[in-house]
Amino acid sequence: VSLKIERGETVCLIGTSGVGKTTLFQVLSGLKVPDEGRIFLDGKDITGKSGEVGYMLQKDLLLPFLTVEDNVSLPFRILKKSKSEARAAAAPYFERFGLDGSQKKFPCELSGGMKQRAAFMRTYLFGRSVMLLDEPFSALDEITKADIYGWFSDISSKLNLTTLFITHSLDEAITLADRVLVMAGTPGRIAAEVKIDGKDAPGFYES
């Protein structure tokens, strides 16, 4: 597999179950070391190094016994900041991520969409420049998805996020991505690329 993502680009990865999408994410995030090849971020070799990018799984994985502000400030706690320092570092992002007013709530008090926003904010604070999202919106109902798609597109543009995400929804891929990469085969490979253009129908290009 060979791919390149430009700064500020949103790229979607689709393919049948078992083709290797999540394994590729684990390699990109440093959780697994590839048998061959290297991973570079802004020219820096990050192969096998975790913590270089943000990685959000399908479930929000918010800790039920922590408030929202303590859940999203976990990246700063891992960096050995005190609880008050971590809260202060996370505080400026609540309004930007549409979570202002939820700081003292617990995850059970949030809607599905709000939980995903909180998980997304925490992922952003972990990795900042690059986000890996593994089916981040699959658990949401269709009405909530429509709302969060608009929010995601808006915040990605404002923060100039570089995002690679996995989805099984073609509608979601076309709505959110600048490019769609299709994985196929055994072992998995990038079989095709779909460039999404807002005005013209996308064309398929063999990779």
Side-chain angles (χ1 to χ4, degrees):
V1 170
S2 179
L3 59 90
K4 181 179 181 180
I5 302 174
E6 301 293 341
R7 185 183 299 275
E9 192 176 26
T10 299
V11 177
C12 173
L13 190 66
I14 64 173
T16 57
S17 297
V19 78
K21 301 183 299 297
T22 297
T23 299
L24 178 60
F25 265 35
Q26 291 171 341
V27 170
L28 295 176
S29 64
L31 297 178
K32 287 188 175 182
V33 179
D35 295 325
E36 297 180 19
R38 314 300 298 174
I39 313 299
F40 290 92
L41 176 62
D42 288 333
K44 175 186 174 183
D45 190 339
I46 62 168
T47 309
K49 296 179 181 179
S50 60
E52 299 289 336
V53 300
Y55 187 7
M56 178 176 162
L57 302 177
Q58 183 175 349
K59 295 183 179 180
D60 60 70
L61 298 180
L62 298 175
L63 299 176
F65 50 86
L66 293 182
T67 61
V68 172
E69 68 176 346
D70 288 333
N71 262 291
V72 301
S73 62
L74 279 174
F76 301 113
R77 296 287 283 155
I78 291 174
L79 294 175
K80 308 300 183 184
K81 291 183 180 291
S82 67
K83 182 179 288 188
S84 60
E85 289 174 331
R87 288 175 174 176
Y93 296 94
F94 276 90
E95 183 175 358
R96 182 174 292 181
F97 279 80
L99 291 167
D100 200 25
S102 70
Q103 287 89 330
K104 301 300 182 183
K105 293 183 178 181
F106 287 89
C108 64
E109 300 176 273
L110 301 182
S111 66
M114 293 289 278
K115 287 180 182 178
Q116 290 304 98
R117 291 188 186 199
F120 189 77
M121 177 175 165
R122 182 178 61 186
T123 304
Y124 173 74
L125 295 179
F126 262 117
R128 296 297 182 93
S129 61
V130 177
M131 309 275 281
L132 303 178
L133 311 178
D134 192 345
E135 295 191 68
F137 311 127
S138 62
L140 303 178
D141 61 77
E142 292 303 315
I143 295 176
T144 303
K145 280 183 182 181
D147 177 63
I148 207 165
Y149 286 170
W151 170 82
F152 175 80
S153 296
D154 182 60
I155 199 167
S156 293
S157 176
K158 288 180 178 178
L159 298 177
N160 195 33
L161 297 180
T162 304
T163 306
L164 179 64
F165 74 97
I166 294 172
T167 183
H168 286 278
S169 168
L170 294 177
D171 287 343
E172 184 170 286
I174 293 170
T175 300
L176 298 178
D178 299 306
R179 284 188 293 136
V180 178
L181 301 178
V182 182
M183 282 194 75
T186 305
R189 63 185 181 88
I190 305 299
E193 174 184 336
V194 185
K195 294 186 178 182
I196 305 298
D197 188 296
K199 296 180 180 179
D200 302 312
F204 285 77
Y205 303 89
E206 285 298 318
S207 174

